[in-house]
Amino acid sequence: MVGKFERRKDTVQELTESAATHVGQIATIIAGAVRDVTREIGDWVSDGIEMREAAKKAREDEGEDEGEDKPVE
């Protein structure tokens, strides 16, 4: 027959193992979410940089085109 102390010990052990498993799963979910959010922010910043560079190139191209329309004296 299992004594009262051993039953309580087994219950505490099971609860602790269960808690550790769930906390581990939650940490994995959070780590994945942080990774995904960081990737999205990085992609967003990269898009902004690319748009800025494209706008700069477009401005430079407009300046070159204006020079071609002017007659040379």
Side-chain angles (χ1 to χ4, degrees):
M1 188 163 141
V2 177
K4 185 176 180 181
F5 175 78
E6 191 171 353
R7 283 194 312 269
R8 286 185 179 172
K9 188 251 340 154
D10 289 345
T11 301
V12 169
Q13 183 177 345
E14 287 294 323
L15 285 171
T16 303
E17 290 174 7
S18 177
T21 299
H22 289 294
V23 168
Q25 290 296 326
I26 292 167
T28 300
I29 291 166
I30 291 170
V34 169
R35 181 195 65 230
D36 293 346
V37 168
T38 301
R39 183 177 297 134
E40 287 302 318
I41 291 171
D43 289 348
W44 188 17
V45 170
S46 294
D47 289 348
I49 291 168
E50 290 173 8
M51 284 187 256
R52 184 182 68 191
E53 290 173 353
K56 180 181 177 185
K57 177 76 172 134
R59 284 191 303 273
E60 290 171 356
D61 288 348
E62 283 179 2
E64 291 174 8
D65 290 344
E66 290 175 6
E68 293 175 6
D69 293 340
K70 294 181 181 178
V72 178
E73 293 180 23

